[in-house]
Amino acid sequence: MTETAADARPTRPAEADPAAGAAAPSRRLLLLMAVATGLSCAGNYFAQPLLDLITRDLHIGTTLAGLLVTASQAGYALGLLLIVPLGDVLDRRRLAVGLLAATALFLALTAAAPNGPLLLAGTVAVALTAVGAQVVVGYAAALVPDEARGRTVATVMSGVLLGGLLARTVSGALAGLGGWRTVYWVSAIPVAVMAVALHRYLPRARSTARLSYPALLRSSLSLLREEPLLRSRSVLGGLSLASYSVQLTALTFLLARPPYNWSEGAIGLFGLLGAIGVLAMTFAGRLGDRGFTQYVTGSGIVLLGGGWLLLLAGERSLLWLSLGIVALNIGQQAVLNSSQTVLYALRPEARNRLNSVFMTSFFIGGATGSALTAVVWARVGWPGVCLLGAGLAAGALAVWGLERIRAERGTAH
C-alpha cells in the first residue's frame, strides 16, 4: 500500500518553503547536522545514572534528585511547544545556532551549580534549549526534495537517537574519572563548537511567514484541528513511544534481579542494543522515499507488538530478551521516521509547527508509558509489563488502520 495523494496533500494551498530553493545539502553537512542534534539533546540524559553521586555531593534528598529527570522531560516538552514553532517565522540557521550556544552555556552553568535548586534550574534550561535538535531536523527536511526527505530526516534524527543512547554510558564513565560535574563541563565544549560550525556552514533560510508569537502558537493548535493526518500520527506516535518506553523502564528492574543479577554498568551497556534502531531508521527512510511510507509504518507497529512476545520469553532467556529489544528498537524507529516523513509533506511553510505538535504528543506518550510501567511492574511483574507494552502497540495498530481506511475512502471519493 503505497502512499496516496490523499495521505499527504495539504488541505489548503501552502506557500513554498523558504529553504526549498537552497542547494541540496552534502552528505558531510547532513552528518554535521546529525552530530549537532546528538550533542544538543545528550544533556537531557546525563543526570539519570548520576543521581546517587549528585545526592551525596550536594547533600540533597532523593526526592529532589529524582526531580532532575522529571525536570529534564518537562523542560524539553516546553521547548517543543514554545520554541520549535519559531522555526517557521525566524531565520532557522540563527535560531538553531542560538539554541546550541545557549545549551552550551547552560551546561556550563549546570556544572557549576552549588546546590540542588540551581542544579534543577540548570537542568530545565538545558532541556528547554536542547530542542534546537528538532529545529535542525526540520531545517534538513526543508533543504531536500520530497523524494529524498525520508533518508535525510533519518540521517539527522540518527544523531538524536545516538545522543540519547550514548549519553548515559559516557556520563557514567566521565563521572568515574572526575565526578558528576565533569560530564557537564566536557560536553559544553563540543556543543559550543557545533554552534560555530552550524553558523559557518548552514545556508540562511528566513521564513516569509509573518505571524506574531501568540498567533504562531495558536496556529499550531489550528493545525491539529485542521489536519486529520496530524491528529492520527500524533496519537499513533504517542502510543508507539509509550510501548517502547515500557521496555526502557522495566528492563532495569528485570536485569537487576535473578536470574540475571547484572550490575548497573552491565545494564547500561546492554541498552546500547538500541543503536541497531539507528540503522533501521536509515533503511526505513530509504523505503519511504520509494513510496512505501505506509508499509514502513505498519511493519514497524507489527514489530513493536511482536517484540513483546519475544520479551515475554526473555524473562529467563538472554537470547529472546535481546531479540525482543532489537525488534522493539527497529519497530519504534520505523514508526518515528515514517510519521515525520508523512507530516513534513503536509505544509512546507509549517514544518516546525507540525513537528512541534507531533513530538510533544510523542514524548507525552513516552512519559505515560514509563509511569504505567512502574505501577504494573509492582503489581504483576514482567508478564504484566509485556501485556501492557503489547496492548499499547495494538492501540497504535488500530489508529494506523483507521488512518488507512480514511485515506482509502478519501481517494475513492
Side-chain angles (χ1 to χ4, degrees):
M1 186 186 304
T2 55
E3 185 178 354
T4 65
D7 293 325
R9 68 169 179 261
T11 56
R12 65 176 60 178
E15 61 186 273
D17 190 287
S26 65
R27 181 166 181 79
R28 181 177 298 180
L29 178 57
L30 289 178
L31 290 176
L32 174 66
M33 297 169 82
V35 172
T37 61
L39 289 171
S40 174
C41 70
N44 292 338
Y45 306 96
F46 287 155
Q48 292 181 8
L50 306 179
L51 295 180
D52 185 57
L53 287 175
I54 292 172
T55 300
R56 286 186 277 113
D57 183 61
L58 295 181
H59 306 290
I60 60 177
T62 54
T63 300
L64 181 56
L67 282 176
L68 292 174
V69 176
T70 304
S72 181
Q73 294 172 337
Y76 198 75
L78 281 175
L80 287 170
L81 282 171
L82 302 179
I83 297 178
V84 171
L86 289 170
D88 289 333
V89 296
L90 299 179
D91 184 322
R92 294 173 187 170
R93 185 186 72 165
R94 184 175 297 176
L95 179 61
V97 169
L99 288 171
L100 259 74
T103 300
L105 174 62
F106 290 134
L107 283 169
L109 292 176
T110 301
N115 53 51
L118 287 179
L119 177 61
L120 193 64
T123 299
V124 172
V126 168
L128 192 67
T129 56
V131 297
Q134 294 301 325
V135 174
V136 174
V137 172
Y139 196 160
L143 291 175
V144 295
D146 292 346
E147 61 271 16
R149 186 165 295 122
R151 60 181 179 271
T152 298
V153 171
T155 298
V156 181
M157 276 296 295
S158 66
V160 176
L161 301 174
L162 285 175
L165 283 171
L166 297 178
R168 300 174 181 90
T169 303
V170 172
S171 178
L174 289 176
L177 294 175
W180 68 267
R181 299 178 189 273
T182 305
V183 64
Y184 291 96
W185 285 121
V186 170
S187 63
I189 298 172
V191 174
V193 170
M194 283 297 106
V196 174
L198 291 182
H199 176 74
R200 179 174 181 179
Y201 294 109
L202 284 183
R204 287 186 178 274
R206 183 173 181 83
S207 174
T208 57
R210 294 292 182 266
L211 290 172
S212 67
Y213 185 62
L216 182 70
L217 298 183
R218 287 195 300 270
S219 69
S220 296
L221 296 177
S222 297
L223 286 171
L224 192 59
R225 291 195 305 269
E226 296 165 4
E227 297 289 354
L229 194 54
L230 176 59
R231 292 197 298 272
S232 66
R233 286 287 164 162
S234 295
V235 174
L236 191 160
L239 287 169
S240 69
L241 188 61
S243 177
Y244 180 74
S245 295
V246 170
Q247 170 261 141
L248 288 178
T249 304
L251 187 63
T252 300
F253 299 147
L254 177 69
L255 293 177
R257 70 171 195 173
Y260 294 104
N261 295 314
W262 284 14
S263 67
E264 293 179 356
I267 294 173
L269 289 174
F270 189 65
L272 292 179
L273 270 176
I276 294 175
V278 175
L279 300 177
M281 175 173 273
T282 303
F283 181 64
R286 292 184 179 277
L287 285 177
D289 290 339
R290 294 175 182 175
F292 298 104
T293 306
Q294 299 301 337
Y295 279 124
V296 171
T297 301
S299 299
I301 298 172
V302 170
L303 272 175
L304 272 175
W308 281 109
L309 296 177
L310 299 175
L311 288 173
L312 181 61
E315 185 173 14
R316 296 186 175 277
S317 169
L318 184 60
L319 174 61
W320 291 116
L321 188 68
S322 301
L323 291 174
I325 290 173
V326 169
L328 256 69
N329 275 279
I330 293 175
Q332 171 55 35
Q333 303 317 322
V335 171
L336 174 58
N337 177 263
S338 58
S339 294
Q340 287 186 306
T341 300
V342 166
L343 292 177
Y344 280 142
L346 280 176
R347 297 191 186 183
E349 84 286 358
R351 285 194 177 114
N352 285 276
R353 280 166 284 172
L354 291 167
N355 197 37
S356 170
V357 173
F358 172 73
M359 293 303 294
T360 299
S361 175
F362 190 68
F363 281 103
I364 287 174
T368 302
S370 296
L372 290 173
T373 302
V375 176
V376 172
W377 174 268
R379 297 186 178 183
V380 191
W382 187 251
V385 164
C386 292
L387 181 61
L388 172 63
L392 291 167
L397 186 62
V399 172
W400 179 72
L402 291 173
E403 177 189 298
R404 301 311 310 143
I405 291 172
R406 186 176 61 250
E408 292 295 337
R409 287 177 177 173
T411 303
H413 294 146

